[in-house]
Amino acid sequence: MLTIRDLILRLLDWLHRPFRKTISAETFRYMATGGSNTVLDIFLYYISYNFIVKKRMVDLKVVTLSPHIAALFMSFSVTFCTGFLLAKYITFNESLLKGRIQLFRYFVTVMVCIILNYIFMKLFVEVCHIYPTPSKILTTGIVVIYSYFSQKYFTFKTAGNGAKQAS
């Protein structure tokens, strides 16, 4: 019986065939799964910003969040989970690191991504006066580059890039 993971891998391997001479399977998988998770993130951000937060400040009693930052955290709460699962089981499935180490490193990497997201969203929306959704798209493009390299060489190291085999 095929698992969902097997089906996703078969689909991605089939879609990768025309590109196999120019791009590695791992990079293609990262682009596909990361791209899907990014589309989900932008969709959830749009829904959160326009329909949940309704473009209003969010008072958490301790701190008040601007609507674009509140929406950022809402979309993140979902895509953190989906992103880790896709990275661990689809993209970087040859990593020899233990799952708990991967999860911790993924958390650290994503925290840096959140900080970068926060800084760039503040910059684009509040300094450059770009609308929130295009700002989110721009920010995502920048953060994805950092994310790929940090996940490949830190979070999901393989034997080929310095990981020790789990015992």
Side-chain angles (χ1 to χ4, degrees):
M1 185 164 137
L2 287 176
T3 64
I4 292 174
R5 178 183 179 269
D6 293 333
L7 289 171
I8 293 170
L9 286 171
R10 283 186 181 189
L11 174 64
L12 292 177
D13 289 345
W14 181 78
L15 292 170
H16 176 248
R17 289 166 71 189
F19 306 101
R20 66 181 161 210
K21 291 183 181 179
T22 57
I23 190 167
S24 72
E26 182 182 83
T27 302
F28 184 83
R29 287 176 183 174
Y30 179 81
M31 290 169 56
T33 58
S36 299
N37 204 48
T38 299
V39 168
L40 175 63
D41 184 57
I42 292 168
F43 173 74
L44 292 174
Y45 177 86
Y46 176 83
I47 297 299
S48 298
Y49 180 78
N50 289 292
F51 300 107
I52 298 172
V53 177
K54 297 180 181 177
K55 304 177 186 177
R56 287 185 252 145
M57 300 296 274
V58 177
D59 184 9
L60 300 176
K61 305 296 181 212
V62 180
V63 66
T64 300
L65 298 176
S66 54
H68 56 279
I69 298 303
L72 176 73
F73 287 120
M74 290 175 154
S75 64
F76 166 76
S77 66
V78 173
T79 57
F80 174 84
C81 300
T82 56
F84 177 74
L85 293 173
L86 289 169
K88 178 175 177 52
Y89 294 108
I90 305 298
T91 305
F92 301 109
N93 58 3
E94 294 181 10
S95 177
L96 302 174
L97 296 174
K98 292 182 179 182
R100 69 177 189 272
I101 303 294
Q102 291 174 339
L103 181 60
F104 175 75
R105 288 180 175 196
Y106 186 79
F107 177 78
V108 169
T109 299
V110 169
M111 287 300 105
V112 173
C113 289
I114 287 217
I115 292 166
L116 291 172
N117 267 288
Y118 181 84
I119 290 168
F120 284 116
M121 286 298 290
K122 286 287 204 182
L123 174 71
F124 293 146
V125 173
E126 296 175 16
V127 176
C128 299
H129 305 289
I130 301 172
Y131 288 111
T133 301
S135 292
K136 175 64 175 148
I137 294 167
L138 250 153
T139 297
T140 298
I142 295 166
V143 174
V144 160
I145 295 166
Y146 161 78
S147 178
Y148 174 74
F149 288 107
S150 61
Q151 286 186 34
K152 180 176 176 71
Y153 296 107
F154 175 67
T155 305
F156 299 102
K157 276 187 182 181
T158 61
N161 60 25
K164 293 180 182 175
Q165 188 166 355
S167 46

